[in-house]
Amino acid sequence: MSQHTASVVSSPTASPITNTSKSPRTLLIVCLLAIGGVIFAGINVFQDVALSGDRFTSFLSFSLLGLALVIALGFEFVNGFHDTANAVATVIYTRSMSPTIAVVWSGLCNFAGVLLSSGMVAFGIISLLPVDLILQASSGHGFAMIFALLCSAIIWNLGTWYFGLPSSSSHTMIGSIIGVGVAYAIQAGQNGWSGVNWVQVSSVFTALLVSPLVGFFLSAFLLLLLKRTVQNPKLFRAPSANSAPPLWVRSLLIITCSGVSFAHGSNDGQKGMGLIMLILVGTMPIAYSLNRSMPINEVPRVAALAQVTGQQLIPSNAPILAPALARDQLKTFIRIPSAAYTQQVLPALGTVLMEISRELTLYGTMDKIPAHLVPNVRNDMYLASEAISAFKRTHSDLSASIKPNLAAMKTELDHATRFIPMWVKIVVALALGLGTMVGWKRIVVTVGERIGKTHLTYAQGASAEAIAMATIGAADLFGLPVSTTHVLSSGVAGTMAANGGGLQKTTLRNMIMAWVLTLPASILLSALLFTLFSHC
């Protein structure tokens, strides 16, 4: 549904964004900051490569790195004006903040959310990809994967934004990942379904499916609770055209808007971080495959733990496995985990852990591992970590003496391979924040004017924002990606239904259609792009 063709239901007050327009000065500042962010990223890449002892030997790899970084930051920029606009709709339509101040403030809160994020969501998203493809991040397939993911997500996000549809960037990204995984498996001569970590996908989709329902029903419940407990009629009236809400209501709405923006940055910003780390590992593996900031005294401890754990997993009478065969067994087990094969696969994990211990003991620190061995050590660590996760998913009956060591081993392996440099957080935060300040208007109009048949009240805005803030914050705590768009727009719809104002069926129908079509469209688009790029 186009922003220009949608029916607009008359409301008791004029739209608060009717006369808003982009200032040339604002656009100039945004462009300068965006260029500055790209330059900042380039400087840090050169510094990291120089410190690692690596060097740019191929103009092609350098060009691909630059292009991929720009596209990844472009995805976060689009994500900013596509998703974060939802956070400011309630404060704008309750006249708690002017549109200009609201979007700038939301952008700053997004910036802070990204910087303070944990990184759990970033690597949770990456783990949806087939492990074979992640281990080949520096190959042609790795570049095809990265560009297919980013391009398909941006195309769909821009399309739904143009028509003013609150579609989910999280939903789009996960669909793109599934499409790439299926296309890769088919090209490798495997069953297409084997190209995706369906256990992880199911947990992610559970979060994406449940969170809008939580937003709808809890927002409706909170509004009804406020009606029964707060005896202030102003709270439940539409805002007047030329006055701000009472101070305490205004403060509540600004706090919840800030919380939603911060939570969005913390959750959604991590998707861009994960993709950028894939890009860096693929193009500059020597500099970014292993966490070079690990303390020197920590590496021998990890080596000793890997040695002890590996010896526990290999029976004394078991035949010696070749490392290559052990890796193949782990890849198969990760792709199709089963408790029935646990005892057969444990020696393979032990063999890989012993290889890791041997390499770390031989060189002592991450910095001293020879350049040509860095990707191999990283792949062994990543493979071992994913295998330990697969054992957990199968609920295998492991001995009490093995479980603590496996848990400790996974923590150490993840620390060595799943890290995000601060400069990556800064450029992603900048892209997300700038995106919030540029393209917010289309989605804000849909959320503020076209979900319900009546104007948004103070209580409705506060209820929807408070529930969205709590839901997204909880998802971030558990490392689950959720959609700010779905949670908040569902929350607004819930308050409209609870308030008796009614819902605009056309808008809801189009939102549901966008939700339903996002997955198959992004799967198909990313699969086609991956196939195209992998043959270029």
Side-chain angles (χ1 to χ4, degrees):
M1 176 187 67
S2 171
Q3 174 184 330
H4 305 291
T5 61
S7 62
V8 178
V9 176
S10 61
S11 61
T13 61
S15 171
I17 63 173
T18 300
N19 298 319
T20 57
S21 60
K22 297 182 181 69
S23 164
R25 180 181 298 177
T26 301
L27 293 177
L28 177 61
I29 292 172
V30 169
C31 290
L32 290 175
L33 288 173
I35 294 171
V38 173
I39 294 173
F40 175 74
I43 292 172
N44 277 274
V45 169
F46 275 107
Q47 289 180 342
D48 291 344
V49 171
L51 289 173
S52 70
D54 195 8
R55 63 182 187 273
F56 294 101
T57 58
S58 169
F59 177 77
L60 177 61
S61 64
F62 177 69
S63 301
L64 289 174
L65 169 60
L67 178 61
L69 283 177
V70 169
I71 296 176
L73 294 175
F75 166 75
E76 282 302 327
F77 184 84
V78 173
N79 188 8
F81 66 68
H82 192 283
D83 279 16
T84 317
N86 294 277
V88 299
T90 53
V91 290
I92 291 175
Y93 275 87
T94 56
R95 301 183 187 275
S96 299
M97 300 177 80
S98 69
T100 301
I101 294 175
V103 295
V104 171
W105 177 247
S106 178
L108 292 174
C109 291
N110 268 274
F111 188 93
V114 176
L115 290 183
L116 298 176
S117 60
S118 64
M120 290 177 62
V121 175
F123 295 108
I125 287 286
I126 297 304
S127 65
L128 296 176
L129 289 163
V131 67
D132 288 350
L133 198 48
I134 295 176
L135 298 180
Q136 298 178 38
S138 58
S139 68
H141 276 117
F143 287 116
M145 166 190 70
I146 291 165
F147 286 115
L149 287 176
L150 292 171
C151 292
S152 60
I154 289 174
I155 290 169
W156 185 254
N157 276 352
L158 284 175
T160 52
W161 166 82
Y162 179 78
F163 290 104
L165 296 175
S167 176
S168 166
S169 295
S170 301
H171 203 167
T172 305
M173 179 54 63
I174 291 165
S176 299
I177 288 174
I178 292 174
V180 166
V182 170
Y184 172 76
I186 292 174
Q187 286 190 27
Q190 302 169 0
N191 183 330
W193 294 103
S194 66
V196 180
N197 185 342
W198 290 108
V199 175
Q200 183 72 6
V201 167
S202 65
S203 64
V204 167
F205 264 107
T206 298
L208 285 174
L209 180 63
V210 171
S211 56
L213 299 177
V214 169
F216 183 93
F217 289 107
L218 288 188
S219 297
F221 173 78
L222 182 56
L223 178 66
L224 295 175
L225 183 64
L226 288 174
K227 282 189 170 185
R228 296 179 71 90
T229 55
V230 179
Q231 303 301 318
N232 188 333
K234 289 184 178 180
L235 188 63
F236 306 101
R237 292 177 188 162
S240 58
N242 299 309
S243 64
L247 180 60
W248 70 275
V249 176
R250 188 178 187 183
S251 300
L252 176 62
L253 287 164
I254 292 174
I255 289 171
T256 53
C257 167
S258 304
V260 171
S261 299
F262 181 90
H264 176 268
S266 179
N267 195 281
D268 273 45
Q270 294 190 55
K271 302 177 182 74
M273 292 181 207
L275 292 174
I276 287 177
M277 290 311 298
L278 265 183
I279 293 166
L280 294 173
V281 170
T283 52
M284 298 295 159
I286 297 172
Y288 296 104
S289 290
L290 297 174
N291 186 359
R292 294 176 173 271
S293 65
M294 287 181 66
I296 294 176
N297 61 349
E298 189 173 335
V299 175
R301 181 169 57 81
V302 176
L305 179 61
Q307 174 78 15
V308 171
T309 308
Q311 289 175 343
Q312 282 183 308
L313 298 177
I314 302 175
S316 57
N317 58 349
I320 297 176
L321 273 176
L325 180 59
R327 295 183 188 105
D328 289 340
Q329 288 188 11
L330 291 185
K331 291 176 187 177
T332 303
F333 181 72
I334 292 168
R335 192 162 53 243
I336 311 174
S338 171
Y341 298 104
T342 297
Q343 297 305 319
Q344 299 176 30
V345 178
L346 283 175
L349 176 58
T351 299
V352 172
L353 289 177
M354 296 287 282
E355 276 292 296
I356 295 171
S357 175
R358 184 181 66 80
E359 298 285 359
L360 295 182
T361 302
L362 181 61
Y363 299 108
T365 67
M366 296 293 185
D367 291 336
K368 292 181 180 178
I369 298 175
H372 67 282
L373 291 180
V374 168
N376 295 336
V377 175
R378 184 256 180 189
N379 285 351
D380 280 348
M381 288 183 168
Y382 189 89
L383 192 60
S385 174
E386 288 296 298
I388 294 172
S389 295
F391 283 124
K392 290 182 179 179
R393 292 197 299 269
T394 61
H395 304 288
S396 302
D397 185 20
L398 302 176
S399 69
S401 61
I402 292 178
K403 286 183 179 179
N405 279 354
L406 284 179
M409 195 72 250
K410 178 167 175 55
T411 300
E412 298 294 352
L413 293 172
D414 289 347
H415 184 207
T417 57
R418 304 187 182 201
F419 63 99
I420 301 174
M422 180 53 69
W423 70 264
V424 172
K425 289 189 175 185
I426 291 173
V427 294
V428 169
L430 185 63
L432 195 64
L434 292 178
T436 302
M437 301 176 193
V438 172
W440 54 274
K441 190 172 180 179
R442 288 178 182 267
I443 305 297
V444 166
V445 169
T446 298
V447 175
E449 298 181 18
R450 295 178 179 145
I451 291 179
K453 293 181 178 180
T454 58
H455 198 286
L456 198 69
T457 67
Y458 304 131
Q460 287 176 293
S463 299
E465 290 273 17
I467 295 302
M469 177 178 67
T471 303
I472 299 166
D476 190 41
L477 183 64
F478 290 101
L480 295 172
V482 294
S483 167
T484 302
T485 302
H486 289 162
V487 175
L488 189 61
S489 57
S490 297
V492 172
T495 62
M496 289 291 178
N499 204 40
L503 300 170
Q504 295 196 46
K505 293 181 180 178
T506 302
T507 300
L508 289 181
R509 182 197 64 202
N510 289 337
M511 287 172 61
I512 292 171
M513 283 181 61
W515 195 93
V516 171
L517 291 176
T518 291
L519 185 62
S522 54
I523 289 175
L524 180 61
L525 186 58
S526 65
L528 291 175
L529 288 175
F530 177 78
T531 303
L532 174 65
F533 294 153
S534 61
H535 286 87
C536 289

